[in-house]
Amino acid sequence: MAINTKLWTKNELQTYILLLCANADSDETDEELQMIKSKVDDATYEKIYEEFSNDSEQQGLDKIDDNIHHHDFTNQELSELRREMYEIFFADCSFKQMERNLDRIMDNILY
């Protein structure tokens, strides 16, 4: 684990991952952000969104990688997280190349 990586709760990690998915095509829509907000309390969303906004994509992926291994996710929890990721990816009714690339990267990190 990187020295400066903060440990997140599972909920915070989920929020960060979903924000990364919403931004995968460089176009966070209001619909995507509302979907994410509906899954978490306002304070957690604001805290994680601020951190996400200040990170590069590589920094975000490193933080996710560090944090995912800190938590013991069940297969069911991982399946639910993947389902939520796809909800975000397909919120605009398309699955763009940049989203596909992030999906492959996340597969490697999660499994």
Side-chain angles (χ1 to χ4, degrees):
M1 181 180 304
I3 294 172
N4 293 334
T5 300
K6 298 176 195 169
L7 292 181
W8 293 321
T9 65
K10 281 185 178 182
N11 205 22
E12 290 170 336
L13 177 58
Q14 170 196 14
T15 303
Y16 197 97
I17 290 171
L18 295 179
L19 285 168
L20 187 64
C21 292
N23 195 276
D25 59 1
S26 301
D27 183 26
E28 296 171 4
T29 66
D30 287 337
E31 181 182 1
E32 291 168 332
L33 296 178
Q34 288 304 318
M35 289 171 70
I36 297 167
K37 286 178 182 179
S38 73
K39 299 175 186 305
V40 65
D41 64 88
D42 289 339
T44 299
Y45 176 83
E46 292 300 327
K47 172 187 168 191
I48 296 300
Y49 188 82
E50 181 178 343
E51 184 169 350
F52 174 80
S53 297
N54 292 317
D55 290 342
S56 69
E57 183 176 356
Q58 187 58 53
Q59 287 172 317
L61 291 170
D62 290 343
K63 287 179 178 184
I64 291 168
D65 191 39
D66 289 344
N67 273 275
I68 202 79
H69 299 295
H70 175 72
H71 297 288
D72 291 323
F73 283 90
T74 65
N75 286 338
Q76 184 175 352
E77 287 174 319
L78 289 174
S79 294
E80 177 66 18
L81 178 56
R82 296 294 289 164
R83 186 189 62 73
E84 291 174 349
M85 289 170 60
Y86 282 111
E87 284 179 5
I88 300 297
F89 285 144
F90 287 101
D92 59 1
C93 300
S94 69
F95 193 40
K96 297 178 181 86
Q97 184 64 39
M98 292 167 53
E99 292 168 325
R100 284 190 208 105
N101 290 340
L102 178 59
D103 185 46
R104 283 192 292 274
I105 292 167
M106 290 304 299
D107 257 355
N108 290 331
I109 292 174
L110 294 175
Y111 303 103

